[in-house]
Amino acid sequence: MRSGEVKTMKLSDVSNYCAPNSDAFNPRIISRFRMTVLFSWEPTNTAVKNRYGELEFPKVSFCNLNPMKFSKMVEKEKLFRIINETAALTKVDILDFGIFVEKYVKQYLPSAPLGIQSTSDAKNLFYLAMGELSALDDVAQPIKEFIVSCEYQGQPCDQKDLVSYRDEFYGVCYKFVPLKQPTVASPGPQMGLTLTLNVEEHEYIPFITGSAGVIMDIARIQNSEMDRIPIMKTTGILMSPNVETNIALQNTEHIRLPGASKKCASDMIGGVAECIETCVGTVAAKLSGCAHEITYMVGTVGMCETLREIEENEYVRVHLDIGSSCTHCKIPCLQLDTSSLLKIHVFFSTLATTIIEEEKAYTFGNFLSDIGGQLGLWAGISVLSLAEVLELLVLIVVGFCTRKNKTANEVESIKDLKTVSN
């Protein structure tokens, strides 16, 4: 618009400008939009129910915190050198751990230092060296020495129910899976698992095993978890010796709806903590070029061999963005929660199962019902409006005809008056 020129608007333009868009503010459109948004959000209700009946006994995995007997470990030269160099670093006489150690001090020839600067370095090198051993049977505590007694439902445990497996940090561990009597018919310690364990504290490895006791993992058995090996350092429960420990379990099932956003994983084995631990270890191995643990070796990536490689791997682990690297680690859609001598009771405190289940709060049927209700409401209003319009037209026509007849009659009357006057 040029300077001094005045812009003019028609009356119709003013009315269109001032009046809101009828389509945008149509209550029917707003209502349908609200229902569509509500349905797309997939709201849920949480129902809590109780179920009573026989329960499947959980899988119990347990390890001695000491990965191997010190009296046997000294026979492995590489492991002994790690302990010997750590003792020198901390200014501790290696002979304080036993007279029998002197034999190995003299037997092993001096070698280049390993570069240990702390007990953390010693542990890292020790676990790497332990991982290089093809078997631990000759250095681990025998099962008959570790498990003094084992009873399940008042009867001695079947040897087939105790299966050994190898852990990266705790050496030889055991898991109890009852095969003949997998279910429990009544609660209480008498129907549970009772273990008496001997951790042999005098055989603990200096600088490596910091405390005496047992670490235990208790997991409900699912078809997909029968062969699951727990990550004890993440999920384990620490228990001290010289005390009797009672672990009373209560069964809870969480049933979640994944929804369109897949907020839970239907194929998750184990928990979120285990998934994240595995994910971080695997990604760090790929990025740093070596794995800190055998579990995280992928493809051509081998084990870290030096302290520098371990430090690089640890740096990647610490600074890794878990949110973007481990997006697949979600809560499971079906989750089941449950002195040198150590006595442990594992049992169910009740056979009642608390079920916490998510249900859709706004289903597709509700959505269609609301749409139909809205359509019916507005269709009804439209019919009434149409009837009112028709009624108005009839009234207008009748009024027009009545007024026309009345006007005609008045004209005739005037003509008659004029004729009479003439």
Side-chain angles (χ1 to χ4, degrees):
M1 185 171 65
R2 295 189 298 271
S3 176
E5 184 177 348
V6 179
K7 184 177 180 180
T8 59
M9 298 180 66
K10 297 180 181 179
L11 182 61
S12 59
D13 295 334
V14 175
S15 61
N16 291 334
Y17 180 81
C18 297
N21 189 322
S22 59
D23 290 338
F25 287 88
N26 192 318
R28 286 176 288 181
I29 296 178
I30 295 175
S31 179
R32 292 169 191 171
F33 175 75
R34 180 186 61 81
M35 288 185 291
T36 304
V37 171
L38 179 62
F39 181 72
S40 65
W41 282 350
E42 298 182 310
T44 59
N45 291 326
T46 301
V48 180
K49 298 176 286 186
N50 286 319
R51 181 182 66 212
Y52 191 88
E54 291 189 358
L55 296 177
E56 195 171 11
F57 196 79
K59 179 176 66 175
V60 181
S61 304
F62 53 97
C63 316
N64 191 336
L65 291 178
N66 190 43
M68 59 183 69
K69 301 180 71 167
F70 181 60
S71 60
K72 296 292 184 180
M73 182 226 71
V74 292
E75 298 177 1
K76 305 295 181 181
E77 182 177 356
K78 191 170 184 178
L79 297 176
F80 179 79
R81 291 190 183 281
I82 295 172
I83 303 302
N84 192 25
E85 187 169 320
T86 307
L89 175 69
T90 56
K91 299 180 180 179
V92 175
D93 190 352
I94 191 69
L95 298 181
D96 291 345
F97 303 118
I99 297 298
F100 65 93
V101 178
E102 185 177 4
K103 168 187 173 183
Y104 300 98
V105 174
K106 297 178 180 179
Q107 179 179 334
Y108 300 134
L109 298 175
S111 62
L114 300 172
I116 297 175
Q117 301 295 325
S118 64
T119 55
S120 178
D121 291 344
K123 290 181 179 180
N124 287 331
L125 289 178
F126 185 90
Y127 293 134
L128 287 178
M130 187 173 71
E132 295 174 358
L133 299 177
S134 58
L136 300 177
D137 296 338
D138 57 335
V139 293
Q141 182 184 12
I143 184 172
K144 293 183 178 180
E145 295 180 9
F146 180 42
I147 305 177
V148 177
S149 67
C150 175
E151 293 183 2
Y152 175 63
Q153 297 189 5
Q155 301 294 327
C157 300
D158 192 325
Q159 290 297 321
K160 295 180 180 179
D161 294 340
L162 287 168
V163 182
S164 63
Y165 69 94
R166 182 168 173 172
D167 186 86
E168 293 289 322
F169 298 95
Y170 303 109
V172 178
C173 299
Y174 301 91
K175 58 181 177 180
F176 175 80
V177 182
L179 301 176
K180 293 183 179 180
Q181 295 177 311
T183 59
V184 178
S186 62
Q190 68 278 5
M191 295 299 290
L193 173 67
T194 301
L195 294 170
T196 303
L197 306 176
N198 183 8
V199 298
E200 293 187 345
E201 191 172 353
H202 63 280
E203 287 282 3
Y204 272 39
I205 303 172
F207 312 115
I208 303 301
T209 309
S211 59
V214 168
I215 188 167
M216 177 176 287
D217 174 85
I218 301 174
R220 284 292 311 278
I221 300 176
Q222 302 179 41
N223 293 332
S224 61
E225 293 193 7
M226 286 295 293
D227 298 326
R228 165 184 170 268
I229 301 298
I231 303 178
M232 300 297 283
K233 67 176 184 178
T234 303
T235 63
I237 305 170
L238 292 174
M239 285 169 284
S240 302
N242 300 320
V243 294
E244 184 174 306
T245 304
N246 290 321
I247 303 177
L249 307 176
Q250 186 172 1
N251 204 38
T252 303
E253 292 183 6
H254 293 270
I255 304 174
R256 303 181 178 95
L257 297 175
S261 60
K262 303 296 181 183
K263 65 180 181 180
C264 65
S266 57
D267 57 348
M268 174 72 72
I269 298 178
V272 179
E274 290 178 88
C275 178
I276 292 177
E277 178 67 25
T278 303
C279 171
V280 171
T282 304
V283 174
K286 292 180 180 178
L287 296 178
S288 65
C290 69
H292 192 183
E293 301 175 28
I294 296 176
T295 310
Y296 308 138
M297 293 175 62
V298 289
T300 58
V301 177
M303 287 289 295
C304 298
E305 298 180 354
T306 64
L307 287 174
R308 182 175 181 81
E309 291 179 344
I310 295 175
E311 290 174 358
E312 292 177 354
N313 180 278
E314 186 64 25
Y315 179 84
V316 174
R317 289 170 60 91
V318 172
H319 294 85
L320 185 66
D321 184 2
I322 298 177
S324 60
S325 301
C326 304
T327 54
H328 63 283
C329 292
K330 302 177 180 179
I331 55 176
C333 293
L334 176 58
Q335 181 178 356
L336 307 176
D337 300 327
T338 61
S339 150
S340 291
L341 287 180
L342 184 74
K343 195 165 187 178
I344 304 168
H345 297 286
V346 181
F347 57 91
F348 282 109
S349 61
T350 176
L351 293 184
T353 300
T354 301
I355 303 173
I356 303 174
E357 183 176 1
E358 287 186 354
E359 300 174 345
K360 286 187 176 181
Y362 195 68
T363 63
F364 186 66
N366 298 133
F367 177 64
L368 291 180
S369 179
D370 287 346
I371 290 293
Q374 292 288 334
L375 289 175
L377 175 64
W378 293 112
I381 293 176
S382 299
V383 170
L384 292 175
S385 300
L386 179 61
E388 291 177 352
V389 170
L390 292 176
E391 182 184 10
L392 179 62
L393 291 176
V394 170
L395 292 175
I396 291 173
V397 171
V398 171
F400 178 77
C401 293
T402 303
R403 183 177 181 80
K404 184 176 180 181
N405 292 333
K406 185 177 181 181
T407 304
N409 293 332
E410 291 178 350
V411 171
E412 291 293 332
S413 299
I414 293 172
K415 287 181 178 180
D416 291 341
L417 289 173
K418 287 182 178 180
T419 303
V420 172
S421 59
N422 293 333

